[in-house]
Amino acid sequence: EVAAGLARLGLVPGDGMALMLPNSRELILGILAAFRLGLVVVPIPLTFAQAQIGFVLSHTGARALFTTPGCLNVLSDEQSDRLEHIIVRGNAGHGHMCYNDLLGSRREAPPLSAYDQAALVVFTSGTTGAPKGACHTQASLVARTKAFIETMELGPGESTLTVFPATRPVVLVSQVLAMLGCGGRIVLYERLEPEEFWTAYTRSKPTYSLLVPAYARRIFAHEMATSTDHSRLRFWLTGGDQPGVELLRQVREKTGRPLLNMFGMTETGILALH
């Protein structure tokens, strides 16, 4: 339905669709609908300032933006005017389209024109120069997802607790697409404090979760790390920085499960897992 609604707006394969949404059902559906239609997903972090948003929009030429009323307030009038379609989750306001209006269309989305065309553009951090847009094709995303599922021996009984933006390539592949590919379950959260994390963990009982080292240190320093039931957990994932021997030891000692370190780049995704 979402893909059909986007097609009804006149969006065609190769068009850029920016997403500025928190982790949510609508975000996942927006990503999948864009892939179904052959659009290029352009994630914009919720933490971006107006100038950063303008940089991403101008460099990608995105025709549409899917966002929230709060995020929409960050855009300048010039940035809003540059976009042909602004879809808002919630109260759309004058001149914008409500997400619910995309639904209910009986028109089927047209077939993909090319499986190996660009599907995702993610901007690097800019630590080695100006941020660069790294392009990922649907073919590469699918190949990496299949490799992750096979390597980690994932199946229908798996579930993952997601606490970082689902538009990050490592989260998209190792948690969102992996669960969709193996028939598992995705539990979406974002920006949880340690006690909130362990409460969500206790409720959802994941078989794995991904935590970057700095965040993991805060999580495992909390007393609930040792008092929580880890019987369903298979492993932890981390990446993006050096976890260090002490964190690896602490995680194993407190949860009885390994912390697996992933190596990769924005341009390539996961290269190795140890």
Side-chain angles (χ1 to χ4, degrees):
E1 284 185 300
V2 179
L6 295 174
R8 194 169 64 249
L9 294 178
L11 297 175
V12 297
D15 284 343
M17 178 173 164
L19 294 171
M20 194 173 182
L21 291 166
N23 279 353
S24 58
R25 179 175 180 269
E26 291 83 1
L27 174 62
I28 303 303
L29 289 176
I31 293 172
L32 297 178
F35 287 169
R36 174 68 181 83
L37 192 57
L39 306 180
V40 181
V41 173
V42 181
I44 300 179
L46 300 180
T47 55
F48 268 20
Q50 192 175 91
Q52 294 171 299
I53 297 171
F55 179 86
V56 171
L57 292 177
S58 63
H59 278 70
T60 60
R63 291 184 60 195
L65 170 67
F66 185 10
T67 188
T68 65
C71 293
L72 190 59
N73 292 333
V74 181
L75 271 67
S76 67
D77 292 339
E78 180 183 353
Q79 291 165 354
S80 296
D81 292 341
R82 184 185 300 159
L83 292 157
E84 296 178 39
H85 306 286
I86 296 179
I87 304 154
V88 182
R89 189 190 74 173
N91 185 13
H94 179 69
H96 303 142
M97 184 176 192
C98 178
Y99 167 75
N100 289 335
D101 292 338
L102 282 178
L103 308 178
S105 171
R106 295 181 178 276
R107 176 184 171 186
E108 292 186 4
L112 289 173
S113 58
Y115 183 55
D116 60 352
Q117 67 186 21
L120 176 71
V121 175
V122 182
F123 281 82
T124 59
S125 62
T127 53
T128 58
K132 300 175 289 294
C135 294
H136 302 265
T137 65
Q138 288 206 24
S140 69
L141 291 172
V142 169
R144 282 147 52 189
T145 300
K146 286 182 176 179
F148 185 82
I149 291 173
E150 292 172 3
T151 300
M152 306 312 296
E153 300 180 344
L154 302 180
E158 305 288 346
S159 63
T160 188
L161 176 59
T162 305
V163 294
F164 295 101
T167 47
R168 289 189 184 184
V170 65
V171 178
L172 181 62
V173 169
S174 68
Q175 296 190 277
V176 177
L177 296 181
M179 288 298 93
L180 293 173
C182 75
R185 182 170 64 103
I186 312 163
V187 182
L188 294 169
Y189 284 94
E190 196 168 339
R191 301 180 181 180
L192 295 178
E193 291 300 312
E195 185 171 346
E196 294 173 322
F197 173 86
W198 288 117
T199 299
Y201 177 93
T202 301
R203 289 173 179 167
S204 59
K205 295 180 172 58
T207 54
Y208 72 98
S209 186
L210 187 157
L211 311 172
V212 299
Y215 183 71
R217 291 186 184 95
R218 295 180 58 213
I219 293 300
F220 292 108
H222 196 276
E223 60 184 11
M224 290 180 70
T226 53
S227 61
T228 300
D229 178 15
H230 300 290
S231 58
R232 285 203 74 240
L233 187 74
R234 292 181 55 208
F235 55 85
W236 299 95
L237 294 173
T238 192
D241 195 3
Q242 291 284 352
V245 175
E246 177 57 27
L247 180 60
L248 297 175
R249 183 200 63 76
Q250 189 179 47
V251 172
R252 171 71 79 169
E253 183 179 275
K254 293 189 174 184
T255 70
R257 304 294 186 271
L259 177 65
L260 305 178
N261 193 21
M262 297 182 290
F263 302 85
M265 297 185 292
T266 303
E267 295 87 345
T268 63
I270 304 169
L271 294 173
L273 192 151
H274 176 67

